[in-house]
Amino acid sequence: MLSSARKLWRRGRDFFPVEGFYFDRPLVVLQSDDWGRAGLRDQEGLEHLRSAGFALGGRPYDLYTLETADDVAALQAVLNRHCDSTGRPPCLEANFMVGNLDLARMEADGFHQIHLLPLAAGLPQGWHRAGLLQAYREAIDDGIFHPALHGITHFCRAAVERELLADGERAEFLRALWRAGTPYIHWRMPWIGFEYWDPEQPVVERFLPAAIQQESIGQAVGLFSKLFSMVPKSACAPGYRANDDTHSAWARLGIGTAQNGPGTLTPPHLDRHGLLQLYRNVEFEPATDPSFCVENCMGQADSCFARGVPVIVSIHSIHFHSSLSGFRDRTIALLDQFLSALEARHPDLLYLHDGDLQQLVEKGFFENVHATTRVNVIRKKYSKRQTRQHAKAK
Ligand SMILES: [Zn+2]
């Protein structure tokens, strides 16, 4: 009974109009997840796992490692070659994982429990990324990175702790990865879930209880502040798995914008917590999308501009990794093409980060070192169902 009432309510809600924000100039935001998240360590870690029986290379995320200071510099250089109609370069909303596994402490107690290492304190045992934290900070000072919060573990800690306690095959699988300096490879073990979402619980209990989410997000905000000497103003939940409790915790901790995954042409809108909800609508993911091409991205961008919706590009950090793959150089070349095409086709283009968009919605203008820019903000009702139809039509 409860379940069918819930379904009916959800279906009704899709027709219920919500007030969205539309704009009369082409706006472009770049959102990027997973910065600071350690994956496969290096060539030695790769060989270690291969000799332990892992046939790595089946999917791009097998080669997910971690950016280097050079990777950040290469991204910074390409973004600095571009500018919008006010002379401002594109700025990447970079969502950071502010912790990793403390593999040294975990090894010391036989990999029987999880210990966390703040990113501000460096990388796990065996990892080397000279100058990486400094490179992040320089990119922020340069206005090329606008740091935001992704989370601490990315996986659901409760799910992993349950498997460690059960001490079966799954625990052994995790320990084999940990011995090679790799926290996890999600597609090979989707049961680890996402930070606020435990996939093997009954459907209505998958999101972690509000109090646990609140505590974890509070801890993440503290670690973020230590890392960057500022509090995060925007957040994106790992795996896009956020519910009303996540949004409530973010809002209480001073976060103003919530990032959502792609698939619709939903305009920015305010939720009941006062958070500005943003939805990605152009997927720029060349290393993981076999059908990727710049023309498709331009087509998706045109659909957004035609409706007065900001282009919000999704581009994960994996595309800028170079140490175990050639992802970075291809991405940089394609991104260069994409930005050039946008600038050529739209002489009144504006590059913004989430904070600018929030300011624009609140005040009708946004300010930065380059300019104070006014844009007409149009408030218009839409229903969820309309944004789905638009997405299908493109
Ligand atoms: Zn992520």
Side-chain angles (χ1 to χ4, degrees):
M1 269 303 279
L2 184 68
S3 157
S4 45
R6 196 183 297 268
K7 270 185 203 155
L8 260 178
W9 178 76
R10 280 207 185 117
R11 211 169 296 154
R13 193 183 52 176
D14 287 357
F15 288 91
F16 188 73
V18 174
E19 189 176 74
F21 299 107
Y22 297 82
F23 307 86
D24 67 354
R25 272 181 83 168
L27 310 182
V28 175
V29 177
L30 306 175
Q31 293 180 345
S32 183
D33 300 342
D34 300 335
W35 294 87
R37 173 167 86 76
L40 190 61
R41 193 181 60 204
D42 49 21
Q43 195 60 38
E44 192 192 80
L46 178 76
E47 297 310 327
H48 186 141
L49 283 176
R50 283 195 171 139
S51 63
F54 289 86
L56 292 177
R59 290 197 193 179
Y61 268 95
D62 271 349
L63 300 180
Y64 175 95
T65 168
L66 175 68
E67 54 279 359
T68 62
D70 272 356
D71 297 340
V72 176
L75 170 58
Q76 198 174 347
V78 72
L79 295 182
N80 267 321
R81 283 204 292 277
H82 290 271
C83 65
D84 67 11
S85 51
T86 67
R88 182 196 197 182
C91 175
L92 192 82
E93 191 76 26
N95 298 315
F96 277 88
M97 296 305 300
V98 292
N100 277 295
L101 295 183
D102 189 338
L103 293 170
R105 281 182 71 199
M106 286 166 60
E107 185 178 20
D109 63 20
F111 292 122
H112 284 291
Q113 55 178 316
I114 288 174
H115 296 289
L116 297 176
L117 179 69
L119 182 58
L123 292 169
Q125 167 177 262
W127 277 79
H128 304 287
R129 288 291 188 273
L132 181 58
L133 296 190
Q134 191 52 31
Y136 294 146
R137 292 179 184 127
E138 282 171 15
I140 294 166
D141 290 345
D142 195 21
I144 285 295
F145 266 21
H146 187 249
L149 186 66
H150 202 23
I152 304 179
T153 61
H154 212 282
F155 59 79
C156 178
R157 188 171 175 158
V160 166
E161 285 174 340
R162 191 169 57 236
E163 295 301 339
L164 288 177
L165 205 63
D167 213 12
E169 266 179 26
R170 288 176 170 183
E172 256 325 292
F173 192 17
L174 278 168
R175 289 182 188 124
L177 288 169
W178 293 346
R179 280 185 211 106
T182 295
Y184 68 89
I185 301 175
H186 188 273
W187 77 271
R188 292 175 175 273
M189 44 208 305
W191 45 266
I192 63 172
F194 293 105
E195 195 146 359
Y196 314 123
W197 188 78
D198 190 346
E200 297 201 336
Q201 297 302 312
V203 174
V204 292
E205 292 168 26
R206 284 187 188 157
F207 278 104
L208 299 185
I212 294 178
Q213 289 199 46
Q214 174 84 31
E215 192 188 332
S216 167
I217 292 167
Q219 195 188 354
V221 168
L223 294 176
F224 186 100
S225 310
K226 273 194 190 139
L227 184 59
F228 295 125
S229 307
M230 62 172 96
V231 289
K233 292 291 178 192
S234 175
C236 178
Y240 308 125
R241 299 305 199 281
N243 67 354
D244 192 63
D245 295 329
T246 324
H247 296 151
S248 162
W250 284 345
R252 271 198 252 172
L253 288 158
I255 287 167
T257 54
Q259 303 171 40
N260 296 276
T264 68
L265 287 176
T266 309
H269 62 91
L270 292 171
D271 70 10
R272 68 191 195 92
H273 306 290
L275 279 179
L276 181 65
Q277 295 282 344
L278 302 179
Y279 299 80
R280 298 180 187 178
N281 44 35
V282 173
E283 293 183 71
F284 196 98
E285 312 277 9
T288 50
D289 175 5
S291 64
F292 176 87
C293 73
V294 170
E295 290 71 27
N296 281 352
C297 293
M298 287 301 291
Q300 291 168 8
D302 285 343
S303 296
C304 299
F305 293 148
R307 290 172 175 85
V309 170
V311 162
I312 303 185
V313 177
S314 179
I315 179 169
H316 283 73
S317 70
I318 184 173
H319 303 290
F320 300 102
H321 292 178
S322 65
S323 52
L324 287 171
S325 65
F327 297 151
R328 179 187 86 192
D329 291 348
R330 179 165 174 255
T331 304
I332 296 276
L334 292 166
L335 186 60
D336 201 16
Q337 272 180 38
F338 178 55
L339 299 175
S340 298
L342 283 172
E343 290 153 20
R345 198 177 295 182
H346 303 283
D348 54 344
L349 187 80
L350 292 170
Y351 290 125
L352 298 89
H353 57 59
D354 290 5
D356 299 321
L357 202 48
Q358 193 183 358
Q359 212 186 120
L360 185 53
V361 161
E362 285 168 3
K363 302 177 181 170
F365 65 87
F366 65 98
E367 286 173 297
N368 54 49
V369 292
H370 297 268
T372 298
T373 311
R374 284 196 173 274
V375 177
N376 284 331
V377 182
I378 303 135
R379 293 162 179 261
K380 211 165 59 183
K381 300 255 184 195
Y382 74 95
S383 70
K384 265 198 162 184
R385 196 165 164 271
Q386 284 170 325
T387 65
R388 269 187 214 142
Q389 283 171 336
H390 288 162
K392 267 185 207 156
K394 75 176 187 230

